[in-house]
Amino acid sequence: MAQATGARDAGFEVRLTAAGRAPDSEPRIPTGLKVLNADFVTSAVRADDIPRDDLARIALVGRSNVGKSSLINALCRAKIARTSAAPGKTRLVNFYRVTIEGGSGGPGRWSAYLVDLPGYGYARGGAGAAAELAAVSEAYFADCAAGRAAFTAGTLLLVDSRHPGLAADRDAAAWLNGLGAAFHLVATKIDKLTRSERGRNLRDLETTFGMAPLPVSAASGEGMDGLWRTIARLAKSAA
Ligand code: GDP
């Protein structure tokens, strides 16, 4: 399971060691935002396992291998999410708690959960994706809607920038819309595209999903500031 190592009480400035080693290419440091603590909290199999406190939650949804774990690690500057696990791995909802100083809205300490929902896309095609997402992810959103735990402050739909408009991703967007979960679109692995591919694919994504994607790269750190700003805005507006 993911390890609770990381940036505890360290913040971005401190170089991490061992499992929490900072990547070679240093992600840029978001102005005025400091990660004080980032920890794996729990994996939920059923609704009953979902934490019952009132921290804001930011859900991350995406195809298996889209780069969700890498993105969580890059955001937190710590290796708290396990990457590159075999497709077909357990269908768990993983909760990571982050404690942040500052960010959008000015100074002040705040905490939130980054909620890693199960990847989809093992089965080919859209309908398969919906079925794969259904059980525990629906329990997560239902739990929020029922007010048994804190609401979902926001949802990020992660799509691979190299493959705009995949049926599985369109299906996931429709599924989220059906649940009433408004989402922000995040285009991962943007470092893998040439300049012209980048322009074309981002336009394709915007046409397909009806919103501009935020291009990010866990490898280069591109987009981390923007993503933290979005997360901070969502979490703080929910508080
Ligand atoms: P997950 O299944 O969505 O959690 O995906 P992972 O985070 O495990 O990433 C899947 C693969 O994509 C791994 O081999 C990662 O190293 C790679 N990867 C993830 N994010 C990036 C990125 O931003 N750039 C590049 N070049 N590779 C990435």
Side-chain angles (χ1 to χ4, degrees), residues 27-28 71 190-191 198 202 215-226:
R28 284 178 294 148
L71 190 62
I190 197 71
D191 60 285
R198 176 189 173 109
L202 291 177
V216 301
S217 166
S220 73
E222 176 176 348
M224 294 304 112
D225 317 31

Side-chain angles (χ1 to χ4, degrees), residues 63-70 83-84 189 191-192 217-219:
R63 224 158 39 93
S64 170
N65 237 32
V66 71
K68 210 147 34 95
S69 312
S70 302
T83 57
S84 304
K189 306 188 188 181
D191 60 285
K192 292 204 174 206
S217 166

Side-chain angles (χ1 to χ4, degrees), residues 202-218:
L202 291 177
R203 273 194 305 278
D204 284 356
L205 283 169
E206 184 163 359
T207 305
T208 300
F209 293 95
M211 69 182 80
L214 175 67
V216 301
S217 166

